[in-house]
Coordinates of all heavy atoms in Angstrom, one line a residue:
G94 N 21.9 -17.1 1.5 CA 21.1 -17.8 2.5 C 20.0 -17.0 2.9 O 20.0 -15.7 2.9
V95 N 18.9 -17.7 3.4 CA 17.8 -17.0 4.0 C 17.3 -17.7 5.2 O 17.5 -18.9 5.4 CB 16.5 -16.9 3.0 CG1 16.9 -16.0 1.8 CG2 16.0 -18.2 2.6
I96 N 16.7 -17.0 6.1 CA 16.0 -17.6 7.3 C 14.6 -17.2 7.2 O 14.2 -16.1 7.3 CB 16.6 -17.2 8.6 CG1 18.1 -17.6 8.7 CG2 15.8 -17.8 9.8 CD1 18.8 -17.3 10.0
D97 N 13.7 -18.2 6.8 CA 12.3 -18.0 6.7 C 11.6 -18.5 8.0 O 12.0 -19.5 8.5 CB 11.7 -18.8 5.5 CG 12.0 -18.1 4.2 OD1 12.2 -16.9 4.2 OD2 12.1 -18.8 3.2
A98 N 10.6 -17.7 8.5 CA 10.0 -18.0 9.7 C 8.5 -18.2 9.5 O 7.9 -17.6 8.6 CB 10.2 -16.9 10.7
C99 N 8.0 -19.1 10.3 CA 6.5 -19.3 10.4 C 6.2 -19.2 11.9 O 6.5 -20.2 12.6 CB 6.1 -20.6 9.8 SG 4.3 -20.9 10.0
V100 N 5.7 -18.1 12.3 CA 5.5 -17.9 13.8 C 4.0 -17.7 14.0 O 3.3 -16.9 13.5 CB 6.2 -16.6 14.2 CG1 5.9 -16.3 15.7 CG2 7.7 -16.7 14.0
K101 N 3.4 -18.7 14.9 CA 2.0 -18.6 15.3 C 2.0 -18.6 16.8 O 1.9 -19.6 17.4 CB 1.3 -19.8 14.7 CG 1.3 -19.8 13.2 CD 0.5 -20.9 12.6 CE 0.4 -20.7 11.0 NZ -0.2 -21.8 10.4
L102 N 2.1 -17.4 17.3 CA 2.2 -17.2 18.8 C 1.1 -16.2 19.2 O 0.8 -15.2 18.6 CB 3.6 -16.7 19.2 CG 4.8 -17.5 18.9 CD1 6.1 -16.8 19.2 CD2 4.7 -18.9 19.6
T103 N 0.5 -16.5 20.4 CA -0.5 -15.6 21.0 C 0.1 -14.4 21.6 O 1.2 -14.4 22.1 CB -1.2 -16.4 22.0 OG1 -1.8 -17.6 21.5 CG2 -2.4 -15.6 22.6
G104 N -0.6 -13.3 21.5 CA -0.2 -12.0 22.1 C 0.9 -11.3 21.4 O 0.9 -11.2 20.2
M105 N 1.8 -10.7 22.3 CA 2.9 -9.9 21.7 C 4.2 -10.5 22.2 O 4.9 -10.0 23.1 CB 2.8 -8.5 22.3 CG 2.0 -7.6 21.4 SD 2.8 -7.1 19.9 CE 1.5 -6.2 19.1
P106 N 4.6 -11.7 21.7 CA 5.9 -12.3 22.1 C 7.1 -11.5 21.6 O 7.1 -10.9 20.6 CB 5.9 -13.7 21.4 CG 5.1 -13.4 20.2 CD 4.0 -12.4 20.5
D107 N 8.2 -11.5 22.4 CA 9.4 -10.8 22.1 C 10.5 -11.9 22.0 O 10.7 -12.6 23.0 CB 9.8 -9.8 23.2 CG 10.8 -8.8 22.6 OD1 11.6 -9.2 21.7 OD2 10.7 -7.6 23.1
L108 N 11.0 -12.2 20.8 CA 11.9 -13.3 20.6 C 13.3 -12.9 20.4 O 13.6 -11.8 19.9 CB 11.5 -14.1 19.3 CG 10.1 -14.6 19.2 CD1 9.9 -15.3 17.9 CD2 9.8 -15.6 20.3
T109 N 14.3 -13.7 20.9 CA 15.7 -13.5 20.6 C 16.2 -14.8 20.0 O 15.9 -15.9 20.5 CB 16.5 -13.1 21.8 OG1 16.5 -14.2 22.8 CG2 16.1 -11.8 22.5
L110 N 17.0 -14.7 19.0 CA 17.6 -15.8 18.3 C 19.1 -15.6 18.2 O 19.5 -14.5 17.8 CB 17.0 -15.9 16.9 CG 17.3 -17.1 16.0 CD1 16.6 -18.3 16.5 CD2 16.9 -16.8 14.5
S111 N 19.8 -16.5 18.8 CA 21.3 -16.3 18.7 C 21.9 -17.5 18.0 O 21.4 -18.6 17.9 CB 21.9 -16.3 20.2 OG 21.6 -17.5 20.8
F112 N 23.1 -17.2 17.4 CA 23.8 -18.2 16.5 C 25.1 -18.6 17.2 O 25.7 -17.9 18.0 CB 24.2 -17.5 15.2 CG 23.0 -17.1 14.4 CD1 22.6 -15.8 14.4 CD2 22.3 -18.0 13.7 CE1 21.5 -15.4 13.7 CE2 21.2 -17.6 12.9 CZ 20.8 -16.3 12.9
M113 N 25.6 -19.8 16.9 CA 26.9 -20.3 17.4 C 28.0 -19.5 16.8 O 29.0 -19.2 17.4 CB 27.1 -21.8 16.9 CG 26.1 -22.7 17.5 SD 26.5 -23.2 19.1 CE 25.6 -24.8 19.2
N114 N 27.8 -19.1 15.5 CA 28.9 -18.4 14.7 C 28.4 -17.3 13.9 O 28.4 -17.4 12.7 CB 29.7 -19.5 13.9 CG 28.7 -20.5 13.2 OD1 27.5 -20.3 13.3 ND2 29.2 -21.4 12.5
P115 N 27.9 -16.2 14.5 CA 27.2 -15.2 13.7 C 28.2 -14.4 12.8 O 27.8 -13.7 11.9 CB 26.7 -14.2 14.8 CG 27.5 -14.5 16.0 CD 27.9 -16.0 16.0
R116 N 29.5 -14.5 13.1 CA 30.5 -13.8 12.3 C 30.5 -14.3 10.8 O 31.1 -13.6 10.0 CB 31.9 -14.0 12.9 CG 32.1 -13.5 14.3 CD 32.6 -12.1 14.3 NE 32.5 -11.5 15.7 CZ 31.6 -10.5 16.0 NH1 30.8 -10.0 15.1 NH2 31.5 -10.1 17.2
L117 N 30.0 -15.5 10.6 CA 29.9 -16.0 9.2 C 29.1 -15.1 8.3 O 29.3 -15.0 7.1 CB 29.2 -17.3 9.2 CG 30.0 -18.6 9.5 CD1 29.1 -19.8 9.5 CD2 31.1 -18.8 8.4
L118 N 28.1 -14.4 8.9 CA 27.1 -13.7 8.1 C 27.7 -12.3 7.7 O 28.0 -11.5 8.6 CB 25.8 -13.5 8.9 CG 25.1 -14.7 9.4 CD1 23.9 -14.3 10.3 CD2 24.7 -15.6 8.3
D119 N 27.8 -12.1 6.4 CA 28.1 -10.8 6.0 C 27.1 -10.4 5.0 O 26.4 -11.2 4.5 CB 29.6 -10.7 5.4 CG 29.8 -11.6 4.2 OD1 29.1 -12.6 4.2 OD2 30.6 -11.3 3.4
D120 N 26.9 -9.1 4.8 CA 26.0 -8.6 3.8 C 24.6 -9.1 4.1 O 23.9 -9.8 3.4 CB 26.4 -9.2 2.4 CG 25.8 -8.4 1.3 OD1 25.1 -7.4 1.6 OD2 26.0 -8.7 0.1
V121 N 24.1 -8.8 5.4 CA 22.8 -9.2 5.9 C 21.7 -8.2 5.6 O 22.0 -7.0 5.8 CB 22.9 -9.5 7.4 CG1 21.7 -10.3 7.9 CG2 24.2 -10.3 7.7
S122 N 20.6 -8.7 5.2 CA 19.4 -7.7 5.1 C 18.3 -8.3 6.0 O 18.0 -9.5 5.9 CB 19.0 -7.5 3.7 OG 18.1 -8.4 3.3
F123 N 17.7 -7.4 6.8 CA 16.8 -7.8 7.9 C 15.4 -7.5 7.5 O 15.1 -6.5 6.8 CB 17.1 -7.2 9.2 CG 18.5 -7.5 9.7 CD1 19.5 -6.7 9.7 CD2 18.7 -8.8 10.3 CE1 20.8 -7.0 10.1 CE2 19.9 -9.1 10.8 CZ 21.0 -8.2 10.7
H124 N 14.4 -8.2 8.2 CA 13.0 -7.8 8.2 C 13.0 -6.5 9.1 O 13.7 -6.4 10.1 CB 12.2 -8.9 8.7 CG 10.7 -8.6 8.7 ND1 10.1 -7.9 9.6 CD2 9.8 -9.0 7.8 CE1 8.8 -7.8 9.3 NE2 8.6 -8.5 8.2
P125 N 12.0 -5.6 8.8 CA 12.0 -4.4 9.7 C 11.8 -4.6 11.1 O 12.0 -3.8 12.0 CB 10.8 -3.6 9.1 CG 10.5 -4.2 7.7 CD 11.1 -5.5 7.7
C126 N 11.3 -5.8 11.5 CA 11.0 -6.1 12.9 C 12.3 -6.3 13.7 O 12.3 -6.2 15.0 CB 10.1 -7.3 13.1 SG 10.9 -8.9 12.7
V127 N 13.5 -6.6 13.1 CA 14.7 -6.8 13.8 C 15.3 -5.5 14.4 O 15.4 -4.5 13.7 CB 15.7 -7.5 12.9 CG1 17.1 -7.7 13.6 CG2 15.2 -8.9 12.5
R128 N 15.7 -5.6 15.7 CA 16.3 -4.4 16.3 C 17.8 -4.4 15.9 O 18.6 -5.2 16.4 CB 16.2 -4.5 17.9 CG 14.8 -4.6 18.3 CD 14.7 -4.7 19.8 NE 13.3 -4.7 20.2 CZ 12.6 -5.7 20.6 NH1 13.2 -6.9 20.6 NH2 11.3 -5.6 21.0
F129 N 18.1 -3.5 15.1 CA 19.4 -3.5 14.4 C 20.6 -3.1 15.4 O 21.6 -3.7 15.4 CB 19.5 -2.5 13.3 CG 20.7 -2.6 12.4 CD1 21.0 -3.7 11.8 CD2 21.5 -1.5 12.3 CE1 22.2 -3.9 11.1 CE2 22.7 -1.6 11.5 CZ 23.0 -2.8 10.9
K130 N 20.3 -2.2 16.4 CA 21.3 -1.9 17.4 C 21.8 -3.1 18.1 O 23.0 -3.3 18.4 CB 20.7 -0.9 18.4 CG 20.6 0.6 17.8 CD 21.9 1.4 18.2 CE 21.7 2.9 18.0 NZ 21.3 3.3 16.7
R131 N 20.8 -4.0 18.5 CA 21.2 -5.1 19.3 C 22.0 -6.1 18.4 O 23.0 -6.7 18.9 CB 19.9 -5.8 19.7 CG 20.0 -7.1 20.6 CD 19.9 -6.8 22.0 NE 20.2 -8.0 22.8 CZ 19.4 -8.8 23.3 NH1 18.1 -8.6 23.2 NH2 19.8 -9.9 24.0
W132 N 21.7 -6.2 17.2 CA 22.5 -7.1 16.3 C 23.9 -6.5 16.1 O 24.9 -7.3 16.2 CB 21.9 -7.1 14.9 CG 22.7 -7.8 13.9 CD1 23.5 -7.2 12.9 CD2 23.0 -9.2 13.7 NE1 24.1 -8.1 12.1 CE2 23.9 -9.4 12.6 CE3 22.5 -10.4 14.4 CZ2 24.3 -10.6 12.2 CZ3 23.0 -11.6 13.9 CH2 23.9 -11.7 12.9
E133 N 24.0 -5.2 16.0 CA 25.4 -4.6 15.8 C 26.2 -4.8 17.1 O 27.4 -5.0 17.0 CB 25.2 -3.1 15.6 CG 25.0 -2.8 14.1 CD 25.2 -1.3 13.8 OE1 24.7 -0.4 14.5 OE2 26.0 -1.0 12.9
S134 N 25.7 -4.7 18.2 CA 26.5 -4.8 19.5 C 26.7 -6.2 19.9 O 27.8 -6.6 20.3 CB 25.8 -3.9 20.6 OG 24.5 -4.4 20.8
E135 N 25.7 -7.0 19.8 CA 25.8 -8.4 20.4 C 25.7 -9.5 19.4 O 25.8 -10.7 19.7 CB 24.7 -8.6 21.5 CG 24.7 -7.6 22.6 CD 23.5 -7.9 23.5 OE1 23.3 -9.0 23.9 OE2 22.7 -6.9 23.7
R136 N 25.4 -9.2 18.1 CA 25.1 -10.2 17.1 C 24.0 -11.2 17.5 O 24.1 -12.4 17.4 CB 26.4 -11.0 16.8 CG 27.5 -10.2 16.2 CD 27.3 -10.1 14.7 NE 28.0 -8.9 14.1 CZ 28.0 -8.6 12.8 NH1 27.3 -9.4 12.0 NH2 28.6 -7.6 12.4
I137 N 23.0 -10.6 18.1 CA 21.8 -11.4 18.5 C 20.6 -10.8 17.8 O 20.5 -9.6 17.7 CB 21.6 -11.4 20.0 CG1 22.6 -12.3 20.7 CG2 20.2 -11.8 20.4 CD1 22.6 -12.3 22.2
L138 N 19.7 -11.7 17.2 CA 18.5 -11.2 16.6 C 17.4 -11.0 17.7 O 17.1 -12.0 18.3 CB 18.0 -12.1 15.5 CG 18.9 -12.3 14.3 CD1 18.4 -13.4 13.4 CD2 19.0 -11.0 13.5
S139 N 17.0 -9.8 17.8 CA 15.9 -9.5 18.8 C 14.8 -8.9 18.1 O 15.0 -7.9 17.4 CB 16.5 -8.6 19.9 OG 15.5 -8.1 20.7
F140 N 13.6 -9.4 18.2 CA 12.4 -8.9 17.4 C 11.1 -9.4 18.0 O 11.0 -10.4 18.6 CB 12.6 -9.4 16.0 CG 12.6 -10.9 15.8 CD1 11.5 -11.7 15.5 CD2 13.8 -11.6 16.0 CE1 11.6 -13.1 15.4 CE2 13.9 -13.0 15.9 CZ 12.8 -13.7 15.6
I141 N 10.1 -8.5 17.7 CA 8.7 -8.9 17.9 C 8.2 -9.4 16.5 O 8.2 -8.6 15.6 CB 7.8 -7.8 18.4 CG1 8.3 -7.4 19.8 CG2 6.3 -8.1 18.4 CD1 7.6 -6.1 20.4
P142 N 7.9 -10.7 16.3 CA 7.7 -11.2 15.0 C 6.3 -10.8 14.4 O 5.4 -10.6 15.1 CB 7.7 -12.7 15.2 CG 7.2 -12.9 16.6 CD 7.7 -11.7 17.4
P143 N 6.2 -10.7 13.1 CA 4.9 -10.6 12.4 C 4.2 -11.9 12.6 O 4.8 -12.9 13.0 CB 5.3 -10.4 10.9 CG 6.7 -10.0 10.9 CD 7.3 -10.6 12.1

Side-chain angles (χ1 to χ4, degrees):
V95 295
I96 298 181
D97 284 332
C99 175
V100 176
K101 295 183 175 174
L102 299 174
T103 303
M105 273 285 172
D107 200 327
L108 303 179
T109 61
L110 186 71
S111 63
F112 299 99
M113 300 276 205
N114 39 6
R116 299 267 168 249
L117 277 176
L118 303 177
D119 58 332
D120 201 5
V121 190
S122 89
F123 298 104
H124 186 279
C126 69
V127 175
R128 298 179 179 105
F129 189 59
K130 283 268 193 306
R131 180 98 190 259
W132 171 259
E133 277 196 308
S134 59
E135 301 173 54
R136 293 278 160 178
I137 284 175
L138 292 175
S139 165
F140 56 99
I141 293 174

